[in-house]
Amino acid sequence: MQGFGRGRSGFLTEEEKADRPRITGAFLKRVLSYLVPFWKQLLLVLLAILMATVLRMLPAILTGRIIDEGLIGRDLGALVTLIGLSLGVTLLSNLVGMLESYLNTWVSQHITFNMRNRMFRHLQGMSQRFFTSNHQGDLITRMTSDISGVQQIIAGTFTSIISNLLTLVVAAVAMYQKNWVLATVGIVIVPLFALPTRRAGKTRWTLTREAQERQDEINGILNETLSVSGQLLVKLFGRENYEASRYEEANSQMVKLNIRQSMAGRWFRVLLGTFSSMGPMLVYLIGGILMMRYDAALSVGDITVLVALLGRMYGPVNSLLNMQVDWIRSMALFARIFEYFDLPQEVQNAPDAVTPDAIRGEIVFDSVDFAYEKDRQILHDVSFRVGQGKTTAIVGPSGSGKSTIINLLLRLYDVSGGGIHLDGTDIRQLDLAFLRRSIGLVTQDTYLFNASIRDNLLYAAPDAAEEDLIAACKKANIHDFIAQLPEGYDTQVGNRGLKLSGGEKQRLSIARVLLKDPAVVVFDEATSALDSIAESLIQDAVAPMLAQRTSIVIAHRLSTVLSADEILVVEAGRIVQRGTHAQLLAQGGLYERLYQTQLGVEEGENSPQPK
Ligand code: ATP
């Protein structure tokens, strides 16, 4: 996905041409709806543009009088007054210009501020389905460069269209007032020079795009190889030389392209530069002929003014020739942003959602069916009950749907059939924030922000006091570890907690759940084998987390299933067996096989007694 700022030029790419949005009345109305709240400020911007444009033209017009009245008329008083006036006007026009750009920036920043905040809230309301099926990069582009693009449109495109049109109108009116023949000559000349300039721009632009593609390639290499996991891969496979030469190759191509790009169109511009000075010469020539032969009223000053005004027209004409492209691009940008705003929020708070005062923590799954994608049902008729304060363990082969059951309980997705009840209320009827507040989750790949240990803990309970923090960490068996770190609770955990070991991360996230103190705990045990010390550290941490709380544990260890009140055996999205460890072992079947392969391996190692 391309940001607005990249490769911005007067030409549309093939991709942009294909993606041209359909601009309907309703679409424009929607664009305007973002501007309407700021109409007063926008009106001020318009006024400022108008004033600045007119003021900017005045010095050029005054030049005529400086020449005619001051210089040719040999009137020193008039000369000084006119020069003073001209300087004063220039100062004023710059001041108004400054005001204009302040207002302009203010309005465009506020419009995009609102838009960004709305988008952020909207995206946060999207279900996990959205985040698993969209590229994070796309989301970030949407939030950053696309919305910044809107700011550019408002501060740049819209206002430059207005100010360019105004400049042309003011210049044309002033020229016609001086002399219609010369004005017409001038106005015919301008587009003749503007059009070839546009053509030369196109060559450069093609090269720029090529350079951008190369740059993307280089960024790709850098991203891949300079990341933590990338470097690990490079080192493990000894590919340093290969990566370095790949990088050098891409880089050297970039150098060639950059040189070609900066030289492209130079010859053309040399010619054009010479030609474009012909415009004023033509006005001098025709003006001179007129003045000397036909129209005694035409003065030297008038001709000078006409040449000066002509000079002021090239820029605006050029910009206006690009206007259509800017317009299409701007609309495409809005279309992209609207597309995101229009994505339905799948999991939403019910309008009549309830927030109970207290929670016991009884969970009931009632004939739950679920599919992530159409036509591929993952859960089939899943029913079970976890009584208040009880522990249910879920076991099953990889991909059988264990994590999915938990996703549904947290309403990261909504069930496709059946229902889930917490204390007798369908969770879709519960306030979403309440539901998630009531459930603490410790997953295998524990998510930590790149911040200090303290900040990561406080994420669960922003108001927690230092003693609570320490108490939770003590219970989770991580306090001693944190205390011996040189920076203690202020230690940075690194990207996604990479500076901590798996076991440490898990204990930290247990402490986080203890701080949150939810009625229900969901624990996805790590599959990876830990040594017996790490193992017992975690076990000691888990015990206080599960105590007194309703809990569901995706179990990978014998000790966990032994202490569970009920074990559910899941296979291909169905509960195929249930009971206690002893009952299930007696039944044989899948549970026994799992026991032999996954669970039984640690038998004999500090396992607690079965319930
Ligand atoms: P493991 O023990 O390996 O973590 P699991 O039992 O927890 O496995 P789930 O993660 O619940 O299994 O996955 C169940 C099935 O759903 C798998 O076949 C998986 O491919 C599929 N699945 C999981 N997440 C998604 C998703 N976001 N979109 C589509 N399919 C998914």
Side-chain angles (χ1 to χ4, degrees):
M1 190 87 31
Q2 277 222 358
F4 185 74
R6 291 181 70 233
R8 199 167 169 224
S9 78
F11 310 96
L12 291 177
T13 59
E14 292 305 315
E15 194 188 338
E16 281 177 317
K17 278 183 198 152
D19 289 347
R20 269 172 89 136
R22 249 170 48 84
I23 296 166
T24 59
F27 185 88
L28 286 178
K29 233 170 124 180
R30 194 162 174 195
V31 172
L32 280 179
S33 74
Y34 286 90
L35 310 186
V36 167
F38 295 96
W39 70 270
K40 284 186 200 141
Q41 289 89 340
L42 283 167
L43 204 65
L44 278 178
V45 172
L46 203 66
L47 271 175
I49 293 177
L50 189 68
M51 269 179 75
T53 312
V54 174
L55 285 174
R56 247 175 243 138
M57 293 306 227
L58 279 181
I61 296 168
L62 282 174
T63 319
R65 291 186 55 195
I66 290 178
I67 291 172
D68 286 342
E69 294 169 29
L71 298 176
I72 298 176
R74 293 178 167 268
D75 179 345
L76 194 58
L79 184 64
V80 173
T81 317
L82 284 167
I83 288 175
L85 193 62
S86 183
L87 287 177
V89 167
T90 309
L91 178 67
L92 192 63
S93 81
N94 284 331
L95 287 177
V96 175
M98 196 170 78
L99 179 72
E100 184 225 311
S101 71
Y102 169 73
L103 286 171
N104 209 338
T105 316
W106 190 93
V107 175
S108 56
Q109 286 290 347
H110 279 75
I111 291 172
T112 46
F113 170 76
N114 287 349
M115 204 176 229
R116 269 206 178 96
N117 293 344
R118 266 174 70 177
M119 176 81 93
F120 191 74
R121 282 186 181 274
H122 181 72
L123 290 181
Q124 284 213 315
M126 300 305 291
S127 76
Q128 285 307 97
R129 196 190 304 277
F130 171 80
F131 292 101
T132 45
S133 49
N134 279 282
H135 285 297
Q136 195 185 0
D138 284 356
L139 289 183
I140 291 175
T141 306
R142 220 51 77 109
M143 283 298 297
T144 53
S145 51
D146 280 3
I147 297 192
S148 303
V150 168
Q151 198 248 325
Q152 283 176 32
I153 294 174
I154 297 162
T157 313
F158 284 175
T159 47
S160 86
I161 290 175
I162 296 172
S163 93
N164 285 328
L165 278 175
L166 272 174
T167 309
L168 287 185
V169 171
V170 174
V173 168
M175 283 169 83
Y176 273 99
Q177 267 188 351
K178 292 284 173 206
N179 184 291
W180 70 269
V181 182
L182 284 184
T184 313
V185 170
I187 286 169
V188 169
I189 289 171
V190 172
L192 289 186
F193 291 107
L195 282 171
T197 315
R198 202 173 138 73
R199 176 131 312 195
K202 189 153 190 164
T203 324
R204 270 169 80 76
W205 175 72
T206 316
L207 287 169
T208 311
R209 281 190 61 79
E210 248 179 77
Q212 259 167 18
E213 277 163 25
R214 264 303 104 70
Q215 188 60 50
D216 285 349
E217 197 183 307
I218 292 180
N219 289 350
I221 297 177
L222 291 178
N223 253 327
E224 269 174 32
T225 50
L226 294 187
S227 66
V228 177
S229 50
Q231 259 309 304
L232 191 64
L233 211 62
V234 171
K235 290 203 169 80
L236 287 183
F237 291 97
R239 303 286 281 188
E240 288 90 345
N241 282 335
Y242 167 77
E243 292 299 346
S245 54
R246 196 156 75 107
Y247 178 67
E248 278 159 19
E249 168 63 25
N251 232 347
S252 91
Q253 289 191 4
M254 188 74 187
V255 170
K256 285 182 204 139
L257 259 177
N258 278 340
I259 294 173
R260 265 177 68 198
Q261 187 196 339
S262 92
M263 289 318 291
R266 287 282 162 180
W267 281 114
F268 187 79
R269 279 200 279 163
V270 170
L271 289 179
L272 199 74
T274 320
F275 275 131
S276 61
S277 65
M278 278 171 59
M281 296 309 148
L282 211 60
V283 174
Y284 282 130
L285 181 66
I286 298 176
I289 294 170
L290 280 177
M291 188 174 74
M292 291 175 230
R293 296 278 155 88
Y294 301 99
D295 186 356
L298 192 66
S299 68
V300 177
D302 289 342
I303 296 173
T304 319
V305 170
L306 283 163
V307 170
L309 289 176
L310 190 65
R312 299 281 172 106
M313 290 175 104
Y314 288 112
V317 167
N318 238 329
S319 308
L320 286 173
L321 283 175
N322 289 339
M323 188 187 85
Q324 195 209 1
V325 168
D326 274 349
W327 175 257
I328 291 173
R329 218 171 258 158
S330 305
M331 291 302 117
L333 193 66
F334 275 110
R336 281 218 294 272
I337 292 170
F338 291 163
E339 193 188 303
Y340 263 35
F341 273 128
D342 289 342
L343 291 172
Q345 293 187 333
E346 207 180 321
V347 176
Q348 277 187 341
N349 230 357
D352 50 352
V354 290
T355 310
D357 298 328
I359 178 163
R360 286 180 286 114
E362 181 209 46
I363 298 165
V364 174
F365 270 62
D366 181 17
S367 308
V368 169
D369 293 329
F370 179 71
Y372 287 105
E373 287 146 13
K374 252 198 233 137
D375 306 328
R376 187 175 165 227
Q377 196 169 337
I378 300 288
L379 294 185
H380 308 262
D381 195 23
V382 169
S383 297
F384 64 92
R385 175 178 172 277
V386 191
Q388 183 184 354
K390 300 285 185 204
T391 299
T392 292
I394 305 179
V395 297
S398 177
S400 54
K402 303 180 294 290
S403 310
T404 306
I405 292 178
I406 282 165
N407 290 344
L408 295 181
L409 176 63
L410 282 154
R411 271 196 89 197
L412 298 180
Y413 300 87
D414 273 338
V415 299
S416 338
I420 302 172
H421 304 269
L422 183 63
D423 288 355
T425 312
D426 190 307
I427 58 171
R428 282 167 293 188
Q429 287 306 314
L430 281 177
D431 179 68
L432 201 53
F434 171 82
L435 172 74
R436 293 188 183 149
R437 201 164 55 232
S438 311
I439 303 175
L441 174 70
V442 178
T443 50
Q444 281 194 32
D445 93 77
T446 301
Y447 197 88
L448 297 174
F449 288 104
N450 190 357
S452 68
I453 291 182
R454 175 179 290 104
D455 290 341
N456 269 292
L457 287 167
L458 287 178
Y459 201 72
D463 301 325
E466 188 77 9
E467 306 90 75
D468 303 334
L469 224 71
I470 294 175
C473 287
K474 280 190 171 149
K475 277 193 202 160
N477 243 340
I478 185 81
H479 173 75
D480 292 343
F481 165 76
I482 299 173
Q484 56 83 36
L485 291 171
E487 291 180 67
Y489 281 84
D490 293 317
T491 307
Q492 296 290 318
V493 300
N495 242 339
R496 304 203 65 181
L498 276 174
K499 292 187 186 169
L500 301 176
S501 80
E504 288 152 8
K505 267 192 285 191
Q506 201 156 51
R507 281 180 283 146
L508 200 58
S509 88
I510 290 173
R512 191 158 65 174
V513 166
L514 287 171
L515 264 181
K516 182 173 161 181
D517 193 21
V520 177
V521 164
V522 174
F523 179 39
D524 188 352
E525 250 177 8
T527 32
S528 54
L530 295 168
D531 60 50
S532 54
I533 298 174
E535 177 69 42
S536 75
L537 277 173
I538 291 205
Q539 257 169 33
D540 292 348
V542 171
M545 178 173 75
L546 302 189
Q548 317 293 324
R549 293 190 174 90
T550 309
S551 39
I552 299 183
V553 184
I554 297 183
H556 295 285
R557 301 186 205 298
L558 185 64
S559 52
T560 317
V561 290
L562 286 179
S563 55
D565 296 289
E566 187 182 38
I567 303 163
L568 307 174
V569 185
V570 185
E571 184 179 30
R574 289 176 211 275
I575 298 182
V576 290
Q577 282 179 293
R578 63 180 84 205
T580 61
H581 176 69
Q583 289 166 344
L584 290 172
L585 263 194
Q587 278 178 18
L590 177 60
Y591 186 79
E592 203 204 349
R593 286 202 301 278
L594 287 172
Y595 171 71
Q596 302 290 356
T597 52
Q598 293 181 12
L599 304 166
V601 286
E602 50 167 332
E603 194 171 17
E605 274 183 29
N606 55 34
S607 346
Q609 289 308 300
K611 277 197 180 178

